[in-house]
Amino acid sequence: ILDIYGKDNKRKDFVNNFNYAFYEDCFCGIGDFEIKVPITEKSIQYLIKDNYVLLDSGILGIIKTVEFDQSEESQNTVSIKGKIINELFLRRCFELTYKYSGKLSAISRSMVSDLCIIPTDAKRKIALISLAQDSIYIPDGDTFKTQKTGDYLADALEDILSNEDKGYKLYPLFDNSNGYELTGLEFRVYSPVDRTVGNSDNNAPIIA
């Protein structure tokens, strides 16, 4: 079941009858998704540009395009394509020169705060975005200095965090006590996790 949320952040419906679903959850970047839904699916009225689709636990997508498939084998099917929620960071850039110094996770949090949470121009604030407070999402690292001018925020985050093989994510938060509602997008920084077979940390392995 794939929940659909509108621009007002409230749950509109869900998709429980789809022919195909795929998403790429990038560790440090912006992933894509695609779902193919029969035209007869009642929820199709809510599968429109800029609405959200909850693809999996912690994986929220933004709908970018809606196309009716014309191929003979896919007739009566709608193809929904979009980006994972980190795409919001491509909507902000460093219009002025910003200088940063500190741990990489702290720098990345300052960048998100400066451009999305408390920007100089209040109109540039992106609703719902907040900084994670759990220390696990503020990993330690080396001290670093950088400055950014003109870069998109998404590119800047990938550039600095990849120096220590760290990743980031906007993690969706929901309030289900009074209906289903998207209430937050928590910015988290992640350290890499060993998923090799027989790893010493007892993490569940990923086998291709």
Side-chain angles (χ1 to χ4, degrees):
I1 292 179
L2 309 176
D3 288 328
I4 308 169
Y5 290 81
K7 298 174 187 177
D8 60 358
N9 303 319
K10 297 184 183 298
R11 182 176 178 270
K12 301 302 181 183
D13 208 332
F14 60 88
V15 179
N16 63 354
N17 179 27
F18 51 89
N19 299 340
Y20 170 83
F22 162 84
Y23 70 82
E24 178 186 20
D25 181 26
C26 294
F27 181 66
C28 190
I30 301 169
D32 302 282
F33 77 89
E34 179 179 8
I35 58 176
K36 293 187 177 183
V37 181
I39 293 176
T40 53
E41 171 67 32
K42 65 181 179 63
S43 61
I44 201 170
Q45 61 184 307
Y46 300 110
L47 292 168
I48 58 177
K49 185 178 180 181
D50 291 331
N51 273 3
Y52 304 119
V53 180
L54 184 61
L55 299 156
D56 207 337
S57 177
I59 310 296
L60 190 67
I62 306 174
I63 297 174
K64 307 300 287 186
T65 63
V66 180
E67 299 177 350
F68 290 90
D69 287 341
Q70 302 297 324
S71 60
E72 184 175 343
E73 64 273 13
S74 300
Q75 286 183 351
N76 301 318
T77 300
V78 177
S79 179
I80 314 295
K81 296 181 180 179
K83 297 289 186 180
I84 302 305
I85 196 68
N86 288 354
E87 187 266 348
L88 291 178
F89 291 148
L90 280 176
R91 304 183 186 186
R92 295 293 181 269
C93 67
F94 295 89
E95 297 178 337
L96 303 175
T97 298
Y98 287 75
K99 296 182 179 180
Y100 298 96
S101 178
K103 308 293 187 181
L104 289 185
S105 60
I107 291 175
S108 66
R109 288 163 60 87
S110 293
M111 289 180 170
V112 172
S113 181
D114 288 342
L115 269 62
C116 302
I117 301 175
I118 49 172
T120 303
D121 181 354
K123 296 179 181 178
R124 302 291 290 168
K125 178 178 179 178
I126 299 181
L128 302 187
I129 293 181
S130 65
L131 302 177
Q133 298 305 307
D134 191 327
S135 60
I136 193 175
Y137 303 122
I138 317 173
D140 201 3
D142 295 331
T143 299
F144 193 78
K145 290 184 178 181
T146 187
Q147 71 176 41
K148 296 294 180 182
T149 308
D151 303 66
Y152 286 107
L153 177 56
D155 296 333
L157 291 172
E158 183 174 354
D159 179 47
I160 67 163
L161 291 175
S162 61
N163 281 291
E164 291 183 355
D165 297 323
K166 288 182 169 61
Y168 72 90
K169 174 182 289 188
L170 280 175
Y171 193 92
L173 305 174
F174 300 94
D175 179 6
N176 300 333
S177 60
N178 186 24
Y180 292 83
E181 183 175 1
L182 175 66
T183 57
L185 297 169
E186 188 176 85
F187 177 70
R188 298 178 175 182
V189 177
Y190 293 87
S191 290
V193 175
D194 186 357
R195 297 289 186 182
T196 57
V197 175
N199 66 82
S200 59
D201 296 326
N202 295 318
N203 296 316
I206 295 177
I207 303 174

